[in-house]
Structures are given as C-alpha cells and as structure tokens.
Amino acid sequence: MNEDKNVFHAVSLSGGKDSTAMLLLMLERDMPIDAVLTADTGMEFPEMYEHLQKLDDLLYRKRGIHITILRHPKGFEHLMFVEPKTKQRSIENRKRLGVSLYGNGWPGIRVRWCTGQLKTHLIDKEVNRLKKEQNALHYVGIAADEPTRVKNEQYPLVEWGITEKKALKICYDRSFDWGGLYEIYRRCSCWCCPLQRIDELRKLRRHHPELWVQLMEMDRRAIAQFGNNKLGQFKENWTVEALEQRFAEEERQTAVSLF
C-alpha cells in the first residue's frame, strides 16, 4: 500500500464489522488516515449510532480528526414518500397504473434506491472529489473471503488475509460489540430494509419493538399511498401487519405448548 505523505488517505466506514476492523487495525499500525467517511441513512439501529460515536471518540483521541458524516439533504422517508417523479417515462407509467407521482415506495431487489441515493452516491461523490483535488487513496473494508467485491481501491483486509469471521473477532477483542447487534442479526444494515429474511424481521419485533412499531406505520403509509403493487409491497405476499399477526400467533402457539 502506498503511504506517500503527499497522498491523501480516505477511509470508507460503513460501521459494520469489516470496515470497523480495518479502521482499528489502521490506527494500531500507525497507517496514515486523513479522513474517515460514513454515509448516514437515518435508518440505522440505535446501537449502530452508539458504535459510530465510540469509533469517533477513538479516532479523535488517536489522530485528532472526526468521522465525516455524509447525509442526503432530505432523507429516507422523503425519498420513499415525497420525492416527485420528474422523468416523463416514470410519470406516464405511474399515471397509466394510477399510482402516486410522488415517492419511490419500498426499495426492492432490482431497484435499491436507498443504497444508491443514501449511501453509494454520497460516498462516491466525496471520494471522487478527494481523488481529483488531493490525489486521494480510498481504503475500503472488504474482507479476504469476499474477492468478488474487490475493484480498484485499497483493501487492507484482503492484503492481510482477514476474513469476515476474523474481522468480527478483532472488533470484539477491542471492546467494540455494537451492543450485541451481531449476536442477534446476520447483518447490521438499516432496520427497515424489506430485503431482510423473515427470521430477521421476527428478531426485530422481539428485540427492537419500538422500531417494529415504526415499521408497521411506514408500511401502512406505503399501502395507502401506492396500493397493492411493488412500490407499496414491503415483501412479496407479506405486509408488515400480516407479519405481526403471524409472529403474534407463533408466540401464542409457543406459550400453549409450554403448558
């Protein structure tokens, strides 16, 4: 890795185990760090925000800089419900289907507008600016067992042979545990993500009931605005209200079986 002092060193931080392990090791190995960039969707778990604050405190103690937080000017719910459609083709399609001309609805596998507008575009724009203006190197937290995600950036974990499992252990060994999030969920992405597995949503209801209530309200709003189509569907064949009924019934059945 190039450690030329004339080069600007920008680190991308998702807040997950891999990018966290990368940042911790870069600090420990006294590698140059000029900026740490993270994109805040506004829909992260409360424990993730606490984790990022803990990392920010460490970064400031070690290097005298703070994490640079990038945010969309309007946020998730504006994009989901309020943003007006401007492309003529989209307007015509929605008029034909009788669908609201405002909002993107629930993200899906093919149209992950949330990842694009709230994360990727923000990070890419800032990284490209830093590359152009300050000859920046961009450090990305991809683990050694994710070779298909490697492109043309700097990947310390890949160079060091650190897998996802080892990255999590590195974080735990240094007392970064996300308040137990990784012991509950497979991934620590946005709590409202409709691409989660059913079991992850079951866990959300059990461990974060306040977020589950918010999710039900968001889904009611989506159905009212977009109707029974891909924009208004949280998951194929499942509304959040239907999942609530399913999970509640499972709890009742479990309680009955105990007696």
Side-chain angles (χ1 to χ4, degrees):
M1 283 178 284
N2 188 345
E3 297 190 3
D4 186 340
K5 292 183 179 180
N6 294 320
V7 173
F8 192 91
H9 302 84
V11 177
S12 278
L13 176 71
S14 70
K17 62 186 186 309
D18 300 333
S19 63
T20 295
M22 176 184 69
L23 178 59
L24 293 173
L25 292 178
M26 289 180 71
L27 288 170
E28 290 177 9
R29 300 180 184 200
D30 201 29
M31 293 176 61
I33 299 172
D34 297 299
V36 177
L37 311 174
T38 192
D40 178 15
T41 65
M43 309 302 281
E44 310 295 338
F45 283 98
E47 293 88 342
M48 178 59 77
Y49 288 115
E50 293 171 4
H51 171 76
L52 290 170
Q53 183 59 58
K54 186 176 178 181
L55 273 178
D56 185 74
D57 292 342
L58 176 65
L59 181 64
Y60 187 75
R61 288 198 307 271
K62 297 289 187 180
R63 300 298 176 88
I65 60 174
H66 288 289
I67 295 171
T68 299
I69 302 174
L70 306 174
R71 294 186 178 94
H72 187 280
K74 298 296 182 62
F76 184 95
E77 291 198 50
H78 173 88
L79 294 173
M80 182 170 175
F81 296 111
V82 181
E83 182 181 61
K85 295 293 98 181
T86 57
K87 293 183 178 180
Q88 191 60 35
R89 182 177 178 182
S90 295
I91 292 172
E92 291 173 357
N93 284 339
R94 291 204 180 193
K95 284 183 176 180
R96 179 172 53 84
L97 296 171
V99 176
S100 172
L101 299 180
Y102 296 87
N104 293 291
W106 283 117
I109 294 176
R110 292 186 178 181
V111 184
R112 299 182 67 171
W113 57 260
C114 49
T115 301
Q117 296 198 55
L118 296 169
K119 294 183 179 181
T120 309
H121 294 173
L122 296 175
I123 292 290
D124 287 351
K125 181 179 179 180
E126 181 62 10
V127 168
N128 288 337
R129 183 187 72 80
L130 291 171
K131 285 182 175 180
K132 181 178 180 180
E133 296 178 6
Q134 303 198 52
N135 193 31
L137 287 177
H138 181 208
Y139 295 80
V140 183
I142 301 297
D145 45 356
E146 299 179 291
T148 58
R149 297 180 62 194
V150 171
K151 296 179 182 178
N152 189 30
E153 303 291 354
Q154 306 297 309
Y155 302 96
L157 297 184
V158 174
E159 293 190 20
W160 299 332
I162 294 175
T163 62
E164 289 189 78
K165 183 177 180 180
K166 188 172 181 180
L168 183 60
K169 185 176 186 303
I170 287 168
C171 298
Y172 282 171
D173 287 347
R174 290 153 180 80
S175 300
F176 285 86
D177 63 4
W178 292 267
L181 282 182
Y182 275 108
E183 296 174 26
I184 301 171
Y185 305 101
R186 293 176 61 253
R187 299 282 180 183
C188 297
S189 55
C190 297
W191 56 264
C192 62
C193 182
L195 303 180
Q196 297 177 77
R197 297 178 179 180
I198 296 291
D199 188 53
E200 296 288 279
L201 292 163
R202 184 183 288 108
K203 293 173 182 177
L204 178 70
R205 179 178 178 271
R206 181 184 309 131
H207 295 280
H208 290 89
E210 73 289 352
L211 299 180
W212 182 254
V213 169
Q214 290 184 51
L215 186 61
M216 285 197 292
E217 181 54 38
M218 289 174 66
D219 197 38
R220 293 188 191 106
R221 185 177 174 186
I223 293 168
Q225 180 167 332
F226 302 108
N228 185 27
N229 53 56
K230 290 183 178 180
L231 301 180
Q233 283 185 339
F234 178 69
K235 293 185 81 68
E236 187 175 3
N237 301 322
W238 288 103
T239 63
V240 180
E241 185 62 43
L243 287 171
E244 166 64 23
Q245 295 173 13
R246 169 180 170 173
F247 298 154
E249 179 60 26
E250 289 173 354
E251 287 182 347
R252 284 192 289 272
Q253 293 296 331
T254 299
V256 169
S257 68
L258 294 176
F259 291 96

